[in-house]
Amino acid sequence: MKPLQQLTRPNIWSLAPYSSARSEYSGRIANVFLDANENPYNAPYNRYPDPLQHEVKAILSNIKGVPEECIFLGNGSDEAIDLVYRCFCEPGKDNVVAICPTYGMYEVCADINNVEYRNVMLDERYQIDADRLLAACDDNTKVIWLCSPNNPTGNNLDREEVVKVVTQFQGLVVVDEAYIDFSNETSIARQLYKYPNLIVLQTMSKAWGSAAIRLGMAFASKEIIDLYNKVKYPYNINELTQKQALQRLSDTHAVEQWVKILLLERDRMMLAFSELRICQQVYPSDANFFLAKVDDAQQTYDYLVDRGIIVRNRTRVKLCQNCLRITIGTKDENNELLGALRSI
């Protein structure tokens, strides 16, 4: 890995971050707050929230096995994705490399930040080739984007190939693990201590059933997290989100049960889908969704919409022609989908 200073935008490295009122007295006991121009009424929502979300991070540290100082919390994973560009990629000069197909926000954020985005196609099994990814890089490549389990394909990327990318690339490697809780594979975040150039993304939106609170996580070295905290907006995670996160994190047993139910339903749905007359292929999945190739994805999608059933049409995505992405819902929802498709 190149020295982190070389990977960071010069203006970000020298940036003096905004010092929020709540961070200036951090670690001391106080009960009279006359520093932040807040209204003294309507407690507790009149006060600015903890800018570094210490209480949430402390619990996450125990659950995820990652030191608190190596955790960043963002307004969804999208904030953590955008900060990669804002911290490390010089607009109009640097580039990033990503697998294709994958989650679309990596490219959207690249376009917003005026950073060249280079696609490297997956193979016919939706797997990566580390050598091809590395060959797409040059001296101005700052980041390689990987998503495992991948979206929209649903499969884990080959861990040996992922590690090869991380160990041989001189820049930063981001592994997005939004769906890791549905996978049998252990999170690579447990190996952060081995890889100083690794950033791992996770989220409360999927297995934790909390998409509405918009809480994403980034795990990385303390030095990378310090840069994230430099650039983020001072109070990026509101008090309501922090409280709801604490409540959800206090009941890991419920999440484990949800995951078990969803995995059983996924297996049932994939088998049933493969037996449909319109289905050509169901692809392996390590997530809470699966990808299926059908005779005519657009026609099937429109047919389902007319019946109030919404799936994701991925036919315009490279390597996904005539593919639908099916999220696993409740048993009743899944049965409604199957009933509609069996009537075609």
Side-chain angles (χ1 to χ4, degrees):
M1 176 187 174
K2 294 178 181 176
L4 189 59
Q5 184 172 356
Q6 290 184 26
L7 295 173
T8 306
R9 292 171 57 186
N11 65 306
I12 299 300
W13 188 263
S14 60
L15 176 70
Y18 176 78
S19 179
S20 67
R22 287 294 171 267
S23 62
E24 289 178 349
Y25 72 91
S26 180
R28 301 179 184 179
I29 298 174
N31 53 27
V32 176
F33 299 100
L34 305 176
D35 58 332
N37 302 333
E38 300 155 323
N39 188 324
Y41 306 109
N42 195 37
Y45 304 112
N46 59 325
R47 301 298 182 189
Y48 288 107
D50 176 2
L52 293 176
Q53 312 93 33
H54 289 292
E55 191 174 358
V56 179
K57 288 179 181 176
I59 295 177
L60 277 173
S61 177
N62 289 329
I63 293 173
K64 301 294 183 179
V66 176
E68 185 177 338
E69 63 269 22
C70 295
I71 301 174
F72 169 84
L73 298 182
N75 186 348
S77 293
D78 292 340
E79 182 180 6
I81 292 167
D82 186 57
L83 281 171
V84 169
Y85 292 100
R86 292 167 62 197
C87 290
F88 303 109
C89 297
E90 196 70 52
K93 175 185 175 183
D94 292 331
N95 67 75
V96 301
V97 169
I99 59 174
C100 182
T102 195
Y103 181 45
M105 279 304 296
Y106 313 141
E107 185 168 11
V108 170
C109 285
D111 291 343
I112 291 171
N113 287 280
N114 192 27
V115 173
E116 180 189 354
Y117 186 88
R118 300 180 177 181
N119 280 313
V120 175
M121 303 300 292
L122 298 173
D123 66 19
E124 68 279 357
R125 298 179 301 113
Y126 294 139
Q127 277 298 341
I128 64 169
D129 183 320
D131 291 333
R132 290 182 61 227
L133 280 164
L134 294 167
C137 302
D138 60 22
D139 290 341
N140 290 325
T141 305
K142 290 290 187 68
V143 180
I144 294 178
W145 291 98
L146 303 174
C147 184
S148 183
N150 190 27
N151 177 12
T153 61
N155 61 303
N156 286 323
L157 301 182
D158 186 293
R159 178 59 64 88
E160 290 186 5
E161 292 294 290
V162 170
V163 170
K164 185 175 180 180
V165 172
V166 175
T167 54
Q168 295 191 17
F169 183 51
Q170 293 296 298
L172 300 170
V173 179
V174 183
V175 179
D176 189 342
E177 294 185 335
Y179 303 95
I180 193 66
D181 297 298
F182 301 101
S183 169
N184 289 327
E185 195 158 78
T186 304
S187 170
I188 199 171
R190 298 274 182 170
Q191 301 179 49
L192 281 176
Y193 66 95
K194 292 183 181 178
Y195 309 122
N197 62 330
L198 177 64
I199 301 173
V200 180
L201 306 182
Q202 292 187 18
T203 180
M204 295 284 290
S205 295
K206 310 302 180 184
W208 293 87
S210 299
I213 73 172
R214 307 307 303 126
L215 190 65
M217 304 162 240
F219 308 120
S221 69
K222 180 182 181 301
E223 292 74 20
I224 291 175
I225 297 301
D226 286 346
L227 287 169
Y228 263 49
N229 288 330
K230 252 190 176 188
V231 177
K232 79 172 185 73
Y233 293 115
Y235 303 107
N236 62 324
I237 307 298
N238 68 69
E239 183 71 13
L240 295 172
T241 291
Q242 292 188 47
K243 285 188 173 183
Q244 183 59 37
L246 289 170
Q247 181 178 334
R248 183 72 279 143
L249 291 168
S250 69
D251 188 4
T252 58
H253 177 72
V255 176
E256 292 168 359
Q257 292 303 114
W258 293 342
V259 170
K260 287 179 181 178
I261 293 168
L262 289 170
L263 292 182
L264 288 172
E265 277 295 291
R266 183 191 69 190
D267 293 345
R268 181 180 76 91
M269 286 292 291
M270 290 175 68
L271 177 60
F273 219 87
S274 68
E275 296 171 346
L276 292 172
R277 185 172 54 187
I278 64 167
C279 183
Q280 296 183 16
Q281 184 174 358
V282 175
Y283 296 95
S285 175
D286 300 288
N288 67 327
F289 62 87
F290 64 91
L291 193 70
K293 188 170 186 177
V294 297
D295 293 337
D296 189 323
Q298 188 62 54
Q299 185 180 66
T300 305
Y301 175 80
D302 292 340
Y303 167 84
L304 290 172
V305 169
D306 288 343
R307 284 150 184 79
I309 302 170
I310 310 301
V311 297
R312 198 76 191 271
N313 183 4
R314 300 283 75 189
T315 194
R316 294 182 179 85
V317 175
K318 292 178 181 178
L319 299 184
C320 297
Q321 185 176 9
N322 277 325
C323 286
L324 299 175
R325 193 190 70 191
I326 312 297
T327 302
I328 305 303
T330 65
K331 188 171 185 177
D332 287 344
E333 290 171 331
N334 299 333
N335 287 340
E336 187 170 350
L337 170 64
L338 290 174
L341 292 176
R342 285 166 177 159
S343 300
I344 294 179

